[in-house]
mmCIF file of all heavy atoms in Angstrom:
data_model
loop_
_atom_site.group_PDB
_atom_site.id
_atom_site.type_symbol
_atom_site.label_atom_id
_atom_site.label_comp_id
_atom_site.label_asym_id
_atom_site.label_seq_id
_atom_site.Cartn_x
_atom_site.Cartn_y
_atom_site.Cartn_z
ATOM 1 N N LYS A 130 25.615 20.540 3.469
ATOM 2 C CA LYS A 130 25.591 19.870 4.775
ATOM 3 C C LYS A 130 24.155 19.587 5.270
ATOM 4 O O LYS A 130 23.836 19.739 6.452
ATOM 5 C CB LYS A 130 26.352 20.695 5.817
ATOM 6 C CG LYS A 130 27.824 20.906 5.483
ATOM 7 C CD LYS A 130 28.546 21.663 6.580
ATOM 8 C CE LYS A 130 29.999 21.926 6.205
ATOM 9 N NZ LYS A 130 30.784 20.679 6.070
ATOM 10 N N SER A 131 23.296 19.190 4.339
ATOM 11 C CA SER A 131 21.894 18.847 4.650
ATOM 12 C C SER A 131 21.100 20.044 5.164
ATOM 13 O O SER A 131 20.097 19.875 5.855
ATOM 14 C CB SER A 131 21.812 17.697 5.671
ATOM 15 O OG SER A 131 22.557 16.576 5.247
ATOM 16 N N ARG A 132 21.500 21.251 4.785
ATOM 17 C CA ARG A 132 20.877 22.464 5.327
ATOM 18 C C ARG A 132 19.885 23.134 4.385
ATOM 19 O O ARG A 132 19.530 24.293 4.591
ATOM 20 C CB ARG A 132 21.968 23.470 5.714
ATOM 21 C CG ARG A 132 22.811 23.037 6.898
ATOM 22 C CD ARG A 132 23.815 24.095 7.316
ATOM 23 N NE ARG A 132 24.900 24.266 6.358
ATOM 24 C CZ ARG A 132 26.003 24.964 6.595
ATOM 25 N NH1 ARG A 132 26.162 25.572 7.767
ATOM 26 N NH2 ARG A 132 26.944 25.068 5.677
ATOM 27 N N SER A 133 19.409 22.420 3.380
ATOM 28 C CA SER A 133 18.494 23.058 2.424
ATOM 29 C C SER A 133 17.099 23.278 2.996
ATOM 30 O O SER A 133 16.333 24.079 2.481
ATOM 31 C CB SER A 133 18.390 22.209 1.159
ATOM 32 O OG SER A 133 17.672 21.008 1.410
ATOM 33 N N GLY A 134 16.738 22.514 4.022
ATOM 34 C CA GLY A 134 15.377 22.584 4.545
ATOM 35 C C GLY A 134 14.366 21.872 3.666
ATOM 36 O O GLY A 134 13.158 22.076 3.812
ATOM 37 N N GLN A 135 14.858 21.002 2.766
ATOM 38 C CA GLN A 135 13.976 20.315 1.823
ATOM 39 C C GLN A 135 13.930 18.814 2.120
ATOM 40 O O GLN A 135 14.547 18.323 3.051
ATOM 41 C CB GLN A 135 14.451 20.582 0.406
ATOM 42 C CG GLN A 135 14.584 22.057 0.059
ATOM 43 C CD GLN A 135 13.293 22.828 0.172
ATOM 44 O OE1 GLN A 135 12.297 22.485 -0.473
ATOM 45 N NE2 GLN A 135 13.288 23.882 0.980
ATOM 46 N N GLN A 136 13.175 18.088 1.280
ATOM 47 C CA GLN A 136 12.784 16.719 1.594
ATOM 48 C C GLN A 136 13.932 15.729 1.723
ATOM 49 O O GLN A 136 14.022 14.998 2.716
ATOM 50 C CB GLN A 136 11.809 16.207 0.538
ATOM 51 C CG GLN A 136 11.219 14.844 0.858
ATOM 52 C CD GLN A 136 10.423 14.849 2.144
ATOM 53 O OE1 GLN A 136 9.286 15.290 2.159
ATOM 54 N NE2 GLN A 136 10.993 14.358 3.230
ATOM 55 N N TRP A 137 14.821 15.661 0.737
ATOM 56 C CA TRP A 137 15.886 14.655 0.809
ATOM 57 C C TRP A 137 16.845 14.964 1.943
ATOM 58 O O TRP A 137 17.367 14.059 2.608
ATOM 59 C CB TRP A 137 16.627 14.572 -0.522
ATOM 60 C CG TRP A 137 15.722 14.200 -1.645
ATOM 61 C CD1 TRP A 137 15.108 15.049 -2.534
ATOM 62 C CD2 TRP A 137 15.244 12.885 -1.983
ATOM 63 N NE1 TRP A 137 14.312 14.351 -3.395
ATOM 64 C CE2 TRP A 137 14.377 13.021 -3.098
ATOM 65 C CE3 TRP A 137 15.483 11.615 -1.469
ATOM 66 C CZ2 TRP A 137 13.746 11.921 -3.693
ATOM 67 C CZ3 TRP A 137 14.867 10.522 -2.051
ATOM 68 C CH2 TRP A 137 14.006 10.683 -3.146
ATOM 69 N N ASP A 138 17.068 16.231 2.210
ATOM 70 C CA ASP A 138 17.981 16.610 3.294
ATOM 71 C C ASP A 138 17.412 16.310 4.667
ATOM 72 O O ASP A 138 18.154 15.939 5.586
ATOM 73 C CB ASP A 138 18.342 18.093 3.186
ATOM 74 C CG ASP A 138 19.509 18.335 2.235
ATOM 75 O OD1 ASP A 138 20.096 17.350 1.749
ATOM 76 O OD2 ASP A 138 19.824 19.513 1.969
ATOM 77 N N ILE A 139 16.094 16.457 4.856
ATOM 78 C CA ILE A 139 15.555 16.173 6.193
ATOM 79 C C ILE A 139 15.555 14.671 6.450
ATOM 80 O O ILE A 139 15.767 14.221 7.580
ATOM 81 C CB ILE A 139 14.147 16.755 6.399
ATOM 82 C CG1 ILE A 139 13.661 16.491 7.834
ATOM 83 C CG2 ILE A 139 13.147 16.180 5.419
ATOM 84 C CD1 ILE A 139 14.613 16.919 8.931
ATOM 85 N N TRP A 140 15.358 13.871 5.426
ATOM 86 C CA TRP A 140 15.497 12.431 5.646
ATOM 87 C C TRP A 140 16.913 12.121 6.106
ATOM 88 O O TRP A 140 17.119 11.308 7.013
ATOM 89 C CB TRP A 140 15.160 11.673 4.357
ATOM 90 C CG TRP A 140 13.680 11.600 4.090
ATOM 91 C CD1 TRP A 140 12.669 11.678 5.011
ATOM 92 C CD2 TRP A 140 13.042 11.427 2.827
ATOM 93 N NE1 TRP A 140 11.446 11.565 4.401
ATOM 94 C CE2 TRP A 140 11.639 11.410 3.051
ATOM 95 C CE3 TRP A 140 13.513 11.294 1.522
ATOM 96 C CZ2 TRP A 140 10.711 11.251 2.024
ATOM 97 C CZ3 TRP A 140 12.595 11.134 0.494
ATOM 98 C CH2 TRP A 140 11.209 11.115 0.741
ATOM 99 N N GLU A 141 17.888 12.778 5.510
ATOM 100 C CA GLU A 141 19.278 12.589 5.905
ATOM 101 C C GLU A 141 19.519 13.095 7.322
ATOM 102 O O GLU A 141 20.177 12.439 8.141
ATOM 103 C CB GLU A 141 20.177 13.341 4.925
ATOM 104 C CG GLU A 141 21.463 12.667 4.592
ATOM 105 C CD GLU A 141 22.071 13.251 3.324
ATOM 106 O OE1 GLU A 141 22.209 14.482 3.243
ATOM 107 O OE2 GLU A 141 22.406 12.470 2.421
ATOM 108 N N ALA A 142 18.995 14.277 7.636
ATOM 109 C CA ALA A 142 19.188 14.859 8.965
ATOM 110 C C ALA A 142 18.541 14.004 10.042
ATOM 111 O O ALA A 142 19.006 13.979 11.190
ATOM 112 C CB ALA A 142 18.626 16.279 9.011
ATOM 113 N N THR A 143 17.485 13.279 9.681
ATOM 114 C CA THR A 143 16.790 12.422 10.646
ATOM 115 C C THR A 143 17.443 11.052 10.762
ATOM 116 O O THR A 143 17.669 10.549 11.862
ATOM 117 C CB THR A 143 15.316 12.247 10.249
ATOM 118 O OG1 THR A 143 14.692 13.528 10.144
ATOM 119 C CG2 THR A 143 14.564 11.414 11.287
ATOM 120 N N TYR A 144 17.745 10.428 9.625
ATOM 121 C CA TYR A 144 18.143 9.021 9.622
ATOM 122 C C TYR A 144 19.640 8.768 9.716
ATOM 123 O O TYR A 144 20.057 7.675 10.083
ATOM 124 C CB TYR A 144 17.637 8.336 8.339
ATOM 125 C CG TYR A 144 16.169 8.486 8.038
ATOM 126 C CD1 TYR A 144 15.711 8.509 6.719
ATOM 127 C CD2 TYR A 144 15.223 8.596 9.054
ATOM 128 C CE1 TYR A 144 14.360 8.637 6.424
ATOM 129 C CE2 TYR A 144 13.875 8.731 8.773
ATOM 130 C CZ TYR A 144 13.444 8.750 7.447
ATOM 131 O OH TYR A 144 12.112 8.896 7.152
ATOM 132 N N SER A 145 20.461 9.760 9.370
ATOM 133 C CA SER A 145 21.901 9.514 9.255
ATOM 134 C C SER A 145 22.630 9.621 10.590
ATOM 135 O O SER A 145 22.173 10.334 11.492
ATOM 136 C CB SER A 145 22.531 10.514 8.278
ATOM 137 O OG SER A 145 22.277 10.165 6.943
ATOM 138 N N PRO A 146 23.780 8.979 10.701
ATOM 139 C CA PRO A 146 24.643 9.234 11.862
ATOM 140 C C PRO A 146 25.188 10.648 11.768
ATOM 141 O O PRO A 146 25.194 11.277 10.705
ATOM 142 C CB PRO A 146 25.754 8.192 11.706
ATOM 143 C CG PRO A 146 25.794 7.887 10.247
ATOM 144 C CD PRO A 146 24.384 8.006 9.760
ATOM 145 N N GLN A 147 25.647 11.146 12.896
ATOM 146 C CA GLN A 147 26.223 12.489 12.934
ATOM 147 C C GLN A 147 27.699 12.414 12.565
ATOM 148 O O GLN A 147 28.440 11.575 13.075
ATOM 149 C CB GLN A 147 26.053 13.092 14.329
ATOM 150 C CG GLN A 147 26.456 14.552 14.441
ATOM 151 C CD GLN A 147 26.298 15.064 15.862
ATOM 152 O OE1 GLN A 147 26.782 14.433 16.808
ATOM 153 N NE2 GLN A 147 25.604 16.190 16.024
ATOM 154 N N GLY A 148 28.127 13.302 11.681
ATOM 155 C CA GLY A 148 29.518 13.320 11.274
ATOM 156 C C GLY A 148 30.408 14.016 12.290
ATOM 157 O O GLY A 148 29.924 14.647 13.240
ATOM 158 N N ALA A 149 31.708 13.934 12.078
ATOM 159 C CA ALA A 149 32.663 14.568 12.993
ATOM 160 C C ALA A 149 32.492 16.076 13.043
ATOM 161 O O ALA A 149 32.830 16.714 14.045
ATOM 162 C CB ALA A 149 34.089 14.207 12.566
ATOM 163 N N ASP A 150 31.946 16.660 11.961
ATOM 164 C CA ASP A 150 31.737 18.105 11.929
ATOM 165 C C ASP A 150 30.416 18.522 12.553
ATOM 166 O O ASP A 150 30.088 19.710 12.599
ATOM 167 C CB ASP A 150 31.820 18.626 10.492
ATOM 168 C CG ASP A 150 30.755 18.006 9.577
ATOM 169 O OD1 ASP A 150 29.988 17.133 10.047
ATOM 170 O OD2 ASP A 150 30.706 18.400 8.396
ATOM 171 N N GLY A 151 29.626 17.555 13.051
ATOM 172 C CA GLY A 151 28.357 17.867 13.697
ATOM 173 C C GLY A 151 27.159 17.819 12.784
ATOM 174 O O GLY A 151 26.019 17.889 13.253
ATOM 175 N N TYR A 152 27.391 17.673 11.483
ATOM 176 C CA TYR A 152 26.293 17.621 10.517
ATOM 177 C C TYR A 152 26.021 16.162 10.127
ATOM 178 O O TYR A 152 26.862 15.278 10.325
ATOM 179 C CB TYR A 152 26.651 18.442 9.279
ATOM 180 C CG TYR A 152 26.870 19.913 9.559
ATOM 181 C CD1 TYR A 152 28.162 20.426 9.686
ATOM 182 C CD2 TYR A 152 25.795 20.781 9.707
ATOM 183 C CE1 TYR A 152 28.381 21.773 9.944
ATOM 184 C CE2 TYR A 152 25.996 22.133 9.966
ATOM 185 C CZ TYR A 152 27.292 22.623 10.089
ATOM 186 O OH TYR A 152 27.494 23.958 10.365
ATOM 187 N N PRO A 153 24.842 15.883 9.547
ATOM 188 C CA PRO A 153 24.532 14.513 9.148
ATOM 189 C C PRO A 153 25.496 13.993 8.080
ATOM 190 O O PRO A 153 25.933 14.748 7.212
ATOM 191 C CB PRO A 153 23.103 14.626 8.582
ATOM 192 C CG PRO A 153 22.556 15.900 9.144
ATOM 193 C CD PRO A 153 23.719 16.817 9.302
ATOM 194 N N VAL A 154 25.789 12.700 8.133
ATOM 195 C CA VAL A 154 26.617 12.068 7.109
ATOM 196 C C VAL A 154 25.732 11.786 5.895
ATOM 197 O O VAL A 154 24.617 11.286 6.023
ATOM 198 C CB VAL A 154 27.248 10.766 7.625
ATOM 199 C CG1 VAL A 154 28.115 10.134 6.548
ATOM 200 C CG2 VAL A 154 28.064 11.027 8.883
ATOM 201 N N ARG A 155 26.233 12.093 4.729
ATOM 202 C CA ARG A 155 25.466 11.913 3.504
ATOM 203 C C ARG A 155 25.184 10.434 3.226
ATOM 204 O O ARG A 155 26.074 9.592 3.328
ATOM 205 C CB ARG A 155 26.233 12.481 2.315
ATOM 206 C CG ARG A 155 26.380 14.010 2.319
ATOM 207 C CD ARG A 155 25.084 14.686 1.993
ATOM 208 N NE ARG A 155 25.270 16.094 1.665
ATOM 209 C CZ ARG A 155 24.269 16.965 1.609
ATOM 210 N NH1 ARG A 155 23.042 16.574 1.849
ATOM 211 N NH2 ARG A 155 24.497 18.230 1.307
ATOM 212 N N LEU A 156 23.934 10.138 2.829
ATOM 213 C CA LEU A 156 23.615 8.798 2.346
ATOM 214 C C LEU A 156 24.245 8.589 0.977
ATOM 215 O O LEU A 156 24.734 7.511 0.672
ATOM 216 C CB LEU A 156 22.102 8.607 2.249
ATOM 217 C CG LEU A 156 21.642 7.297 1.589
ATOM 218 C CD1 LEU A 156 22.101 6.094 2.401
ATOM 219 C CD2 LEU A 156 20.137 7.279 1.404
ATOM 220 N N TRP A 157 24.197 9.631 0.149
ATOM 221 C CA TRP A 157 24.869 9.558 -1.138
ATOM 222 C C TRP A 157 25.544 10.884 -1.433
ATOM 223 O O TRP A 157 25.184 11.923 -0.873
ATOM 224 C CB TRP A 157 23.914 9.169 -2.265
ATOM 225 C CG TRP A 157 22.718 10.047 -2.473
ATOM 226 C CD1 TRP A 157 22.696 11.378 -2.790
ATOM 227 C CD2 TRP A 157 21.339 9.637 -2.420
ATOM 228 N NE1 TRP A 157 21.410 11.823 -2.933
ATOM 229 C CE2 TRP A 157 20.552 10.773 -2.711
ATOM 230 C CE3 TRP A 157 20.699 8.417 -2.166
ATOM 231 C CZ2 TRP A 157 19.161 10.724 -2.756
ATOM 232 C CZ3 TRP A 157 19.306 8.383 -2.204
ATOM 233 C CH2 TRP A 157 18.562 9.516 -2.492
#
């Protein structure tokens, strides 16, 4: 759920819409 604290996940946490579960929606 983008919680690794690493580079690809923070781009997702910043740029993605928020999912119904409150976490970022995956780009891929």
Side-chain angles (χ1 to χ4, degrees):
K130 299 183 183 296
S131 306
R132 292 184 290 191
S133 71
Q135 305 300 303
Q136 187 61 79
W137 300 97
D138 275 354
I139 183 52
W140 284 335
E141 217 163 52
T143 303
Y144 307 149
S145 282
Q147 187 182 50
D150 61 357
Y152 298 100
V154 181
R155 292 287 194 194
L156 173 63
W157 57 61

